[in-house]
Amino acid sequence: MRYLFILFVSAFTCVEAFASYVFVSDEEEGIYVIDADKLELVKRVELKDLGIRGIGVTKDGKYLAVASKKLGKLLVVSTENWKIVKEIPLGENPEFVKVHPKRDLLFVTYEETGKEERAYIVAIDTKNWKVSFKFEGGKESEGMAFSKDGKYLLVTNEGENSLSVYDLDTKKKLKDVNLKPYGERPRGVVCSPDGNYYAVTFESSNNMILLDNNFKPLRSVKTDAGPYGVTYSPDGSEIIVASFRAGKLDIYDARTLSKKAFLQTGKRCWHFTYTSDYKKLVVPCGNSKNVLFFDTKDLHLIKSMDNLGKPWGAVAFPRAWGSIDTP
């Protein structure tokens, strides 16, 4: 299946109209723009040595937002001219970027060090690129997910083994969920397509748990080493986990949590995304300096895009399910 998205295509005057794209952030090089149909690198947005990590694409495809570790800022890049059009100061160690699928909001996590280490989650209005509001997080807040109705924001707190839930209407914290009995260093979190479950990965204890839509833990499963990025398949039947220390992308039955298959990846593959047509999985591998493309039907490796910098994360446009983004 191929896509025509007029607003987005108007920004891409150099590429054909019928196409879908994947944007990959790279800590050393910047941003890669990849034609997801042809599997060709069509643009390098050079942001050298700025520690570009979290990445998001706005709903209309006109802007990319990336977190720069070195600058402590969110950088907004126009997909029309590939220039930085806005720099939003944040704080130390900005990392995860999450675009709200229904509201004109983007969220980014960052940390502050001092006598007491705390993290913050900043909401930015994507209409004017101004800070709208801010939540105080826990220790090392990072992974983010939205409830299906978009009302709640869930954030994993690695340093204190908890999950915070924020109400976006009242702009207040709803609750903290203690995850210490279930694992160590929660990182990835995702809501199921039907909104009934949340999956959370634990990097240091090599496991994943499911919570219900009231944020109550239900059951868990052991994973391969270093689970981080996680998403559901678009039909909700599978959960995909990037077990980066094992060099695998593991596929679980979403109902039974039994492992169905795995893909051998590379080194430090933290995040991944489906392409917009759901025919491929795209996996950036930072320490292998490549981006891998797998066929979702028979799970074979289609292509490896090599000799890159230090790829960090990936999102698709038109938007698709992945460990960073949801449609």
Side-chain angles (χ1 to χ4, degrees), residues 200-271:
V200 178
T201 56
F202 293 85
E203 176 190 356
S204 294
S205 54
N206 303 331
N207 63 316
M208 173 177 65
I209 66 167
L210 284 186
L211 299 90
D212 66 17
N213 56 13
N214 292 313
F215 318 112
K216 178 183 178 181
L218 297 174
R219 56 188 183 277
S220 65
V221 65
K222 295 300 292 183
T223 67
D224 285 311
Y228 181 9
V230 58
T231 195
Y232 276 85
S233 60
D235 64 0
S237 66
E238 296 175 338
I239 302 174
I240 302 95
V241 176
S243 298
F244 72 92
R245 290 199 181 103
K248 292 181 179 180
L249 206 66
D250 292 320
I251 302 173
Y252 297 87
D253 183 289
R255 184 177 60 85
T256 66
L257 295 187
S258 59
K259 188 186 291 187
K260 297 175 62 176
F262 72 90
L263 306 175
Q264 199 70 49
T265 60
K267 298 178 181 178
R268 211 204 73 169
C269 310
W270 281 349
H271 291 291

Side-chain angles (χ1 to χ4, degrees), residues 173-185:
K173 183 188 289 187
L174 181 69
K175 66 186 330 182
D176 284 320
V177 182
N178 179 18
L179 298 179
K180 291 179 182 179
Y182 308 98
E184 296 180 5
R185 295 194 70 81

Side-chain angles (χ1 to χ4, degrees), residues 161-177:
N161 297 321
S162 69
L163 178 75
S164 296
V165 183
Y166 301 91
D167 188 314
L168 299 183
D169 291 334
T170 64
K171 299 180 177 58
K172 295 180 179 179
K173 183 188 289 187
L174 181 69
K175 66 186 330 182
D176 284 320
V177 182

Side-chain angles (χ1 to χ4, degrees), residues 246-296:
K248 292 181 179 180
L249 206 66
D250 292 320
I251 302 173
Y252 297 87
D253 183 289
R255 184 177 60 85
T256 66
L257 295 187
S258 59
K259 188 186 291 187
K260 297 175 62 176
F262 72 90
L263 306 175
Q264 199 70 49
T265 60
K267 298 178 181 178
R268 211 204 73 169
C269 310
W270 281 349
H271 291 291
F272 58 93
T273 186
Y274 281 99
T275 53
S276 303
D277 59 7
Y278 294 100
K279 292 183 178 180
K280 306 177 191 76
L281 279 165
V282 184
V283 188
C285 298
N287 290 349
S288 296
K289 299 183 178 295
N290 62 3
V291 177
L292 306 177
F293 302 86
F294 294 93
D295 185 283
T296 56

Side-chain angles (χ1 to χ4, degrees), residues 105 107 121-124 130-135 167-168 171:
L105 290 173
F107 294 82
I121 305 101
V122 177
I124 296 169
K130 293 181 179 180
V131 173
S132 181
F133 54 93
K134 182 168 71 172
F135 296 122
D167 188 314
L168 299 183
K171 299 180 177 58

Side-chain angles (χ1 to χ4, degrees), residues 51 53-54 67-74 90-96 108-111:
R53 300 191 292 179
S68 168
K69 179 180 180 179
K70 181 177 180 179
L71 299 178
K73 295 179 178 181
L74 184 79
L90 297 170
E92 297 178 51
N93 203 29
E95 186 157 1
F96 208 94
V108 57
T109 55
Y110 73 93
E111 299 170 12

